[in-house]
Amino acid sequence: MGPGVVVTGLTLGALAVVSLLAFQANGAQDRAGAARPTATATAGGPATSAAPSVTPTPTAPTLPASSGTGTRVVYSVSSHYVWLIEPKKNPQVVAAFPVTPGTVEPTPGAYPVYSRTATTTGTDGKQIEHVVRFAQQNGVVFGFSAAVDGATPSADPKAKTGGIRSSRPDGQLLWDFAPKDTKVVVVA
């Protein structure tokens, strides 16, 4: 391993730590508290808007009953929604938000977060941040991310991508909530 690789790795690690500390110093608890869904949430369809959605809309689907137990990130393939669940909090759903899927969906099941990257380039050539990877199936990597420009366009149907895009504020919430080994439950 050359010195350039080591320096790059150390620089990226330092940037991630500094970014996390800056975010926490800027009131992360206030933002996470504001992301609680309403108790009157009803079923709704996927949203592909580029607008931030830290506070779920009244049309946010309810947490699927088959979403498992414990601290977890839940992703619904059918509604294209993500829920961040912390059983020690009341309410347990600390955030819920719409996402835009890639062209390939992960198989339902439970997976651990195995890799995280603060910033990189996505398969579509866009700069992305807060990449949280949780599965690899048939050569496709599945993970959550947010485009630096805030866009959440539909994926190119000609490409096999497993990137699940959120708004930047929602991507930050997920990044802070899901360190390595956090359980991700994919439901139908």
Side-chain angles (χ1 to χ4, degrees), residues 3-34:
V5 173
V6 173
V7 170
T8 300
L10 290 173
T11 301
L12 288 174
L15 286 172
V17 170
V18 169
S19 296
L20 176 62
L21 293 174
F23 178 78
Q24 288 175 337
N26 197 25
Q29 288 180 329
D30 293 339
R31 281 193 293 279

Side-chain angles (χ1 to χ4, degrees), residues 8-9 18 32-33 39-40 52 57 75 77 98 160 171 173 187:
T8 300
V18 169
T40 58
T57 63
Y75 170 58
V77 170
K160 283 179 73 172
L173 284 172
V187 296

